[in-house]
């Protein structure tokens, strides 16, 4: 029978321990701290810093204080591997990262080889866990095949008489999500009118928008990140194309609206149930907002990754990788995301994806 490990935010990290910690445990988070996706790196950093502060304030982990390292991979696979090796040389015990699937997947090989637990808050590509190189690789977010199923079925049912385009940015995340959405949409009886790839990082997408307009597209699904999605949407409106934009969890940042302005009104996206609305998360949400940080997107997912690991270390009685991995496999963890467990692949058992709508610069649950 699994042992419930109760973690009620700051006080969740157990009974008061001696403040005289006899050593430090080094953990890390890594993601796009710079570059066009830096808003997500900022989310991860905020969540990690708050988790470390709360754990240390409650006595640390097994009497030891946590020290946080920050790695910047800029969502670049080669840079992610370099960051992973750098963290290994620093003796990191946990990597609460990375963000992009294209970074997490190659970096996971380093963590497995070096005996470092990796729990990604945000990498959704199925290959991350389906092909994980070791038992210490986990995630606290959902998968693109789950997300694509929700999006694909919704589009087939809602827009069965409309022309749908599917675009992707060629990345592990973007193409993976677009293809899963396409698969489930096709299985439900709706075929796309346009399927196109675009290059991330460009500023001018007028050519692809012109094609969408010439095809008379009504709905555009984008597998990719908020920066390009926002630019494509703006350029659609500039060319008089009023097609509805639908995308995935990479739009969960206020920066999307900064890019689109009013053009973003009505945009739909899939994301897990909003953890900011969880009662157990309220003390953390309040603490972050008091610092001027809105815990949007993956802030609380990063917090929960560290939360679950800390409780697993307590259960294992050490930071030994095999012992902690087993504790993660066997435990139930009450986190800011709610109660979670991990399956035999390292995937998390949490509620699936739901739709959100952007209105007046904010996203909230979509109500048809």
């Amino acid at each position: 029978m699994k042992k419930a490990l109760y973690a009620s935010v700051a006080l969740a990290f157990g009974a008061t321990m001696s403040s005289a910690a006899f050593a430090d445990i080094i953990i890390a988070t890594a993601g796009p701290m710079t570059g066009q996706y830096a808003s997500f790196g900022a989310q991860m950093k905020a969540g990690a810093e708050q988790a470390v502060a709360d754990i240390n304030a409650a006595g640390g982990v097994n009497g030891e204080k946590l020290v946080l390292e920050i790695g910047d991979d800029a969502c670049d696979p080669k840079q992610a591997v370099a960051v992973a090796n750098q963290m290994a040389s620093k003796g990191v015990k946990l990597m609460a990262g990375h963000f992009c699937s294209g970074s997490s997947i190659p970096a996971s090989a380093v963590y497995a080889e070096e005996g470092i637990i990796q729990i990604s808050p945000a990498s959704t590509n199925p290959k991350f866990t389906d092909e994980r190189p070791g038992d210490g690789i986990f995630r606290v977010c959902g998968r693109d095949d789950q997300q694509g199923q929700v999006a694909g079925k919704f589009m087939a049912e809602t827009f069965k008489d409309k022309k749908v385009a599917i675009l992707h940015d060629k990345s592990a995340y973007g193409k993976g999500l677009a293809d899963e959405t396409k698969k489930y949409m096709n299985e439900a009886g709706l075929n796309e009118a346009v399927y196109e790839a675009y290059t991330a990082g460009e500023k001018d997408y007028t050519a692809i928008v012109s094609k969408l307009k010439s095809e008379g597209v009504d709905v555009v699904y984008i597998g990719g990140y908020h920066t390009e999605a926002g630019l494509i949407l703006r350029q659609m409106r500039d060319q008089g194309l009023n097609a509805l934009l639908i995308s995935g969890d990479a739009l969960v940042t206020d920066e999307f609206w900064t890019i689109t302005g009013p053009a973003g009104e009505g945009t739909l996206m899939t994301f897990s149930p909003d953890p900011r609305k969880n009662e157990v998360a309220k003390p953390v949400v309040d603490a972050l907002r008091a610092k001027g940080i809105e815990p949007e997107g993956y802030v609380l997912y990063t917090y929960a990754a560290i939360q679950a690991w800390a409780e697993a270390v307590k259960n294992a009685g050490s930071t030994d990788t095999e012992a902690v991995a087993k504790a993660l496999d066997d435990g139930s963890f009450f986190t800011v995301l709610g109660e979670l467990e991990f399956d035999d692949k390292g995937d998390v058992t949490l509620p699936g994806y739901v739709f959100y709508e952007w209105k007046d610069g904010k996203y909230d649950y979509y109500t048809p």
Side-chain angles (χ1 to χ4, degrees), residues 82-142:
V83 167
N85 282 305
Q86 180 187 46
M87 294 304 173
S89 71
K90 292 183 177 183
V92 162
K93 298 297 183 182
L94 165 71
M95 167 52 70
H98 297 222
F99 177 75
C100 291
S101 295
S103 292
S104 278
I105 292 171
S108 68
V110 177
Y111 299 128
E113 178 69 23
E114 297 292 339
I116 298 168
I117 297 290
Q118 179 186 13
I119 307 178
S120 174
S123 294
T124 53
N125 189 290
K127 290 182 180 179
F128 176 62
T129 49
D130 285 354
E131 302 174 11
R132 66 176 182 166
D135 294 338
I137 310 299
F138 301 85
R139 60 175 145 207
V140 291
C141 58

Side-chain angles (χ1 to χ4, degrees), residues 9-171:
V9 195
L11 297 179
F13 301 101
T16 302
M17 299 180 181
S18 168
S19 61
F22 54 87
D24 290 332
I25 303 173
I26 305 172
I27 68 170
T29 190
M33 303 300 161
T34 60
Q36 60 182 333
Y37 309 133
S39 62
F40 291 112
Q43 290 178 7
M44 297 173 72
K45 182 173 181 286
E49 288 177 342
Q50 189 66 45
V52 167
D54 288 345
I55 292 171
N56 285 342
V61 180
N62 295 343
E64 299 177 274
K65 294 295 176 121
L66 300 184
V67 175
L68 180 66
E69 293 282 341
I70 306 292
D72 179 15
D73 64 20
C75 273
D76 176 78
K78 291 182 179 178
Q79 196 164 323
V81 170
V83 167
N85 282 305
Q86 180 187 46
M87 294 304 173
S89 71
K90 292 183 177 183
V92 162
K93 298 297 183 182
L94 165 71
M95 167 52 70
H98 297 222
F99 177 75
C100 291
S101 295
S103 292
S104 278
I105 292 171
S108 68
V110 177
Y111 299 128
E113 178 69 23
E114 297 292 339
I116 298 168
I117 297 290
Q118 179 186 13
I119 307 178
S120 174
S123 294
T124 53
N125 189 290
K127 290 182 180 179
F128 176 62
T129 49
D130 285 354
E131 302 174 11
R132 66 176 182 166
D135 294 338
I137 310 299
F138 301 85
R139 60 175 145 207
V140 291
C141 58
R143 295 163 51 106
D144 287 333
D145 45 2
Q146 298 167 330
Q147 188 169 194
Q149 183 176 26
V150 170
K153 287 184 174 181
F154 170 83
M155 290 163 62
E157 292 169 2
T158 308
F159 306 111
K160 58 185 177 181
D161 298 322
K162 303 293 185 181
K163 284 192 174 183
V164 175
I166 295 180
L167 311 179
H168 68 80
D169 65 358
K170 310 174 197 173
S171 70

Side-chain angles (χ1 to χ4, degrees), residues 306-354:
I306 297 172
Q307 215 177 4
W309 171 86
E311 290 298 332
V313 170
K314 290 180 181 180
N315 197 35
S318 78
T319 57
D320 175 75
T321 303
E322 289 186 11
V324 175
K326 185 176 187 306
L328 286 166
D329 284 336
D330 294 344
S332 291
F333 306 92
F334 285 77
T335 74
V336 290
L337 302 180
E339 182 181 4
L340 62 84
E341 298 176 356
F342 297 99
D343 66 16
D344 56 4
K345 287 183 178 181
D347 287 322
V348 72
T349 56
L350 280 174
Y353 288 87
V354 296

Side-chain angles (χ1 to χ4, degrees), residues 272-295:
S272 299
D274 192 343
R276 293 176 295 185
K277 299 180 185 295
N278 292 342
E279 186 62 30
V280 71
K282 189 177 187 304
V284 177
V285 170
D286 290 346
L288 286 162
R289 285 175 174 165
K291 297 176 181 177
I293 298 170
E294 179 56 38

